[in-house]
Amino acid sequence: MPRMLGMRVPPVTDLQGLPPEALALIEQMQRHIEQQEQALLAHQQQLAEGQALLQRKDREIALRDAKLEKLEFEIARFKRWKFGARTEAMNAQQRRLFEETLAEDEAALQAALDQLRVEGRTGDAKPKAPPRRPRREALPAHLRRVEHRHEPEDTRCPNEGCGRPMTRVGEDISERLDVVPAEFFVRRHVYGKWACRCCQTLKQQPAAPEIIDGGVPASGLLAHLLISRFADHLPYYRQEAINARSGVHTPRSTLAAWAGQAGAALEPLYDAHKRFVLGCRVLHADETPVALLDPGAGKTRRAYVWAYARSGHDPTPGVVYDFCLGRGAQYPVAFLAGDERLGHRRWAGTLLTDRYNAYDTVLDERVHPDRTAAACVAHARRKFDELAKAGTSALAEEAIRRFGLIYEVEGELGVLPDEERQARRQELARPLWDSLKKWLELERRLVVDGGTTAATIDYTLNHWAALTRHLDDGAVPIDNNHLERQIKPWAMGRKAWMFVGSALAGQRAAMVMSLVQSARLNGHDPFAYLSDVLRRLPTQLNSRIQELLPHLWCPTRDGDTAA
């Protein structure tokens, strides 16, 4: 009977009556079904393993993407800290302290980022080309070159069946910068003795004079000691450890004694340098605190370094420091008073300061009619900047914008001669200052007395004549930033050596740093300058001491001394 569509066939329970061919076919089909089931189970297992692998890969990719995003964010933040505006994130002093750390962290993050990107490209069929690196600046040509030749051991053709000698057709050169630590060496001075047997006369070249007569250190070592102490700000105990690594034993007490003798020898040169700096008619002045050890009290007290520099527009720059026990007006008064017994005239001219009240005595017109006061515009602007950061005054941003226009004009006049700079200031800057004054006077009427905003406006208006002094004299800078840059070495140094041991040590540091910093201002290498000066000082005539001043110094070649 034919089977209808959808009709279920009852299972056959009695297979004994089937022919042998049918039984063999049924057995074969059962084995095939079992194999299919096993294959299906294996396939399902492979699918599960594949899904687990894909999920693990997805998690790894997500984790790597998160790391990439974090590293890219960190690098972007470091770049903002490094290249961003000075008013953001860090002030100028913090930026100086953390520049090295930022560079190290940025390099480490960049290396980790590059490694992650390389790992992420390992499974790609077509890896992306590496980003184009900026062209590296050539290494200085004056550096000594040490060549390392790399040639194949066998210069015959490596192809099978050839083996002929190959011809050199060129070369690739790679240069890397290396360093050899400081080397100590001994200068042996051999003085030959010559005798006349007839006349019984002995002749010998006189011994070369040194700063420390009969001592161990040569001028180069003394210069290295002073530069390390007062320019690199390394305390004597650190120098002792550094020298010990080269097998040279120099106790810190010995280093201090050498520095003291070298500083005493430099005092006449410092006095001549002071006369040179005070010989200009436009002078910067500022002061910074340093800690002075007070052994009797068992702690430190506050002392000050007063700094004076020739005008930032002066073609022959120079700076001189004076270590003092306080911040009173008597210290700048005495420094600028001169010495009639030695023929040093009292200083006269325009003094550019931050309007600290101690300078009022220095610039008192009744006592010093030949002195004129000039004020630092950057200090006036800074007060409005503090208001803007506090968010307590709506006019601060407008004041900063107006000061910005004035500084834009000043920035274009820096390279001009004094007379032309004055004329251009009258033409371009004077209208901006007049507009600023009218605006400040109007805003002052609307501000309540006793507040910070009123005090800020009053500071600018009360010192208006001194703030605009530069408009009438092209030699007067607009602010005191030039001298503030020369004070930075003291700010860096006091974080390294913590305090000055005595007033005499402070003045010795002031003498050495005056000469070193002025040498830098005149484009000289401080070590080359100081080592040559210390070598020549014992034989230099006092009447020709000015030849060794930083702005007049000409390096000489004598033995190993070079420019």
Side-chain angles (χ1 to χ4, degrees), residues 180-310:
V180 177
E183 177 191 6
F184 287 89
F185 66 97
V186 178
R187 291 184 181 271
R188 296 189 66 196
H189 297 270
V190 181
Y191 300 94
K193 295 181 178 181
W194 297 81
C196 176
R197 298 185 182 275
C198 176
C199 302
Q200 299 296 310
T201 302
L202 182 67
K203 185 177 182 181
Q204 189 179 26
Q205 193 73 6
E210 294 283 352
I211 292 293
I212 301 179
D213 191 19
V216 172
S219 59
L221 179 57
L222 290 177
H224 176 72
L225 168 64
L226 295 179
I227 293 296
S228 299
R229 180 70 175 87
F230 300 113
D232 299 331
H233 313 296
L234 290 176
Y236 293 132
Y237 74 91
R238 293 185 186 174
Q239 294 189 52
E240 178 184 359
I242 293 172
N243 296 345
R245 290 201 297 265
S246 298
V248 178
H249 179 55
T250 52
R252 66 191 72 176
S253 58
T254 301
L255 295 176
W258 289 349
Q261 291 176 274
L266 290 171
E267 187 170 356
L269 185 60
Y270 168 81
D271 292 337
H273 180 64
K274 172 184 173 181
R275 293 195 297 271
F276 160 70
V277 172
L278 298 184
C280 65
R281 65 178 186 85
V282 177
L283 192 68
H284 295 264
D286 203 355
E287 74 288 335
T288 187
V290 293
L292 173 65
L293 184 63
D294 188 358
K299 57 183 180 180
T300 60
R301 52 170 293 189
R302 175 168 289 194
Y304 285 86
V305 171
W306 294 75
Y308 307 87
R310 294 171 70 93

Side-chain angles (χ1 to χ4, degrees), residues 337-353:
D339 193 336
E340 297 296 339
R341 295 172 301 175
L342 300 177
H344 304 162
R345 294 182 301 174
R346 181 173 55 89
W347 177 81
T350 301
L351 188 65
L352 177 58
T353 67

Side-chain angles (χ1 to χ4, degrees), residues 9-302:
V9 179
V12 179
T13 58
D14 186 12
L15 301 178
Q16 299 295 329
L18 295 177
E21 294 82 2
L23 292 174
L25 181 60
I26 291 173
E27 185 179 358
Q28 182 179 0
M29 292 179 64
Q30 288 177 345
R31 288 197 302 269
H32 181 68
I33 291 173
E34 291 176 355
Q35 293 175 355
Q36 291 293 328
E37 290 177 350
Q38 293 176 357
L40 180 60
L41 290 174
H43 183 63
Q44 290 176 347
Q45 186 177 0
Q46 291 178 356
L47 285 177
E49 292 176 353
Q51 289 177 352
L53 179 62
L54 287 176
Q55 291 176 356
R56 188 171 69 252
K57 291 292 185 182
D58 289 341
R59 288 194 298 270
E60 291 177 356
I61 292 174
L63 181 61
R64 187 173 65 247
D65 290 344
K67 288 182 179 179
L68 285 171
E69 182 182 3
K70 181 180 179 181
L71 290 173
E72 288 173 347
F73 171 77
E74 292 291 339
I75 290 176
R77 184 171 63 174
F78 279 129
K79 288 182 178 179
R80 286 198 303 272
W81 285 348
K82 186 175 181 180
F83 302 109
R86 290 180 177 268
T87 56
E88 297 179 1
M90 293 184 179
N91 58 35
Q93 185 177 7
Q94 289 173 325
R95 289 170 66 90
R96 290 194 303 271
L97 292 175
F98 292 108
E99 273 181 355
E100 294 84 0
T101 303
L102 289 178
E104 293 174 0
D105 291 347
E106 183 180 354
L109 289 171
Q110 188 64 50
L113 182 62
D114 294 341
Q115 181 63 28
L116 281 174
R117 287 173 175 168
V118 169
E119 293 175 358
R121 291 198 299 264
T122 53
D124 298 344
K126 294 182 179 179
K128 296 181 181 179
R132 184 177 180 183
R133 294 185 177 182
R135 186 175 180 180
R136 188 178 66 185
E137 209 172 299
L139 297 176
H142 70 275
L143 297 180
R144 177 171 59 96
R145 258 64 175 176
V146 178
E147 288 194 356
H148 300 272
R149 292 284 178 173
H150 305 274
E151 303 290 350
E153 294 182 359
D154 189 358
T155 58
R156 291 174 297 180
C157 181
N159 292 332
E160 186 176 357
C162 182
R164 296 181 180 179
M166 304 179 74
T167 304
R168 197 173 191 274
V169 294
E171 61 186 11
D172 291 328
I173 299 177
S174 174
E175 291 191 340
R176 292 181 177 271
L177 191 62
D178 206 343
V179 64
V180 177
E183 177 191 6
F184 287 89
F185 66 97
V186 178
R187 291 184 181 271
R188 296 189 66 196
H189 297 270
V190 181
Y191 300 94
K193 295 181 178 181
W194 297 81
C196 176
R197 298 185 182 275
C198 176
C199 302
Q200 299 296 310
T201 302
L202 182 67
K203 185 177 182 181
Q204 189 179 26
Q205 193 73 6
E210 294 283 352
I211 292 293
I212 301 179
D213 191 19
V216 172
S219 59
L221 179 57
L222 290 177
H224 176 72
L225 168 64
L226 295 179
I227 293 296
S228 299
R229 180 70 175 87
F230 300 113
D232 299 331
H233 313 296
L234 290 176
Y236 293 132
Y237 74 91
R238 293 185 186 174
Q239 294 189 52
E240 178 184 359
I242 293 172
N243 296 345
R245 290 201 297 265
S246 298
V248 178
H249 179 55
T250 52
R252 66 191 72 176
S253 58
T254 301
L255 295 176
W258 289 349
Q261 291 176 274
L266 290 171
E267 187 170 356
L269 185 60
Y270 168 81
D271 292 337
H273 180 64
K274 172 184 173 181
R275 293 195 297 271
F276 160 70
V277 172
L278 298 184
C280 65
R281 65 178 186 85
V282 177
L283 192 68
H284 295 264
D286 203 355
E287 74 288 335
T288 187
V290 293
L292 173 65
L293 184 63
D294 188 358
K299 57 183 180 180
T300 60
R301 52 170 293 189
R302 175 168 289 194

Side-chain angles (χ1 to χ4, degrees), residues 380-388 395-396 399 403 440 456 460:
R381 181 198 176 279
R382 200 169 298 155
K383 293 181 179 295
F384 286 101
D385 186 61
E386 293 172 356
L387 276 181
L395 61 85
F403 277 113
L440 287 176
T456 301
T460 302

Side-chain angles (χ1 to χ4, degrees), residues 470-524:
H470 65 282
L471 296 176
D472 301 318
D473 189 347
V476 177
I478 190 174
D479 54 38
N480 217 16
N481 291 347
H482 170 67
L483 182 57
E484 290 183 357
R485 288 191 291 270
Q486 312 315 316
I487 293 181
K488 285 180 181 179
W490 287 94
M492 297 173 63
R494 64 182 174 225
K495 293 183 177 296
W497 29 259
M498 304 302 291
F499 57 83
V500 176
S502 66
L504 184 60
Q507 189 56 30
R508 182 167 55 250
M511 289 191 299
V512 175
M513 292 183 69
S514 297
L515 298 172
V516 168
Q517 195 65 16
S518 296
R520 283 175 171 167
L521 286 174
N522 285 275
H524 303 313

Side-chain angles (χ1 to χ4, degrees), residues 305-356:
V305 171
W306 294 75
Y308 307 87
R310 294 171 70 93
S311 169
H313 297 310
D314 200 305
T316 53
V319 61
V320 61
Y321 305 108
D322 185 30
F323 183 85
C324 301
L325 298 179
R327 201 188 181 196
Q330 67 270 26
Y331 299 107
V333 167
F335 191 84
L336 301 177
D339 193 336
E340 297 296 339
R341 295 172 301 175
L342 300 177
H344 304 162
R345 294 182 301 174
R346 181 173 55 89
W347 177 81
T350 301
L351 188 65
L352 177 58
T353 67
D354 57 2
R355 303 312 298 156
Y356 169 51

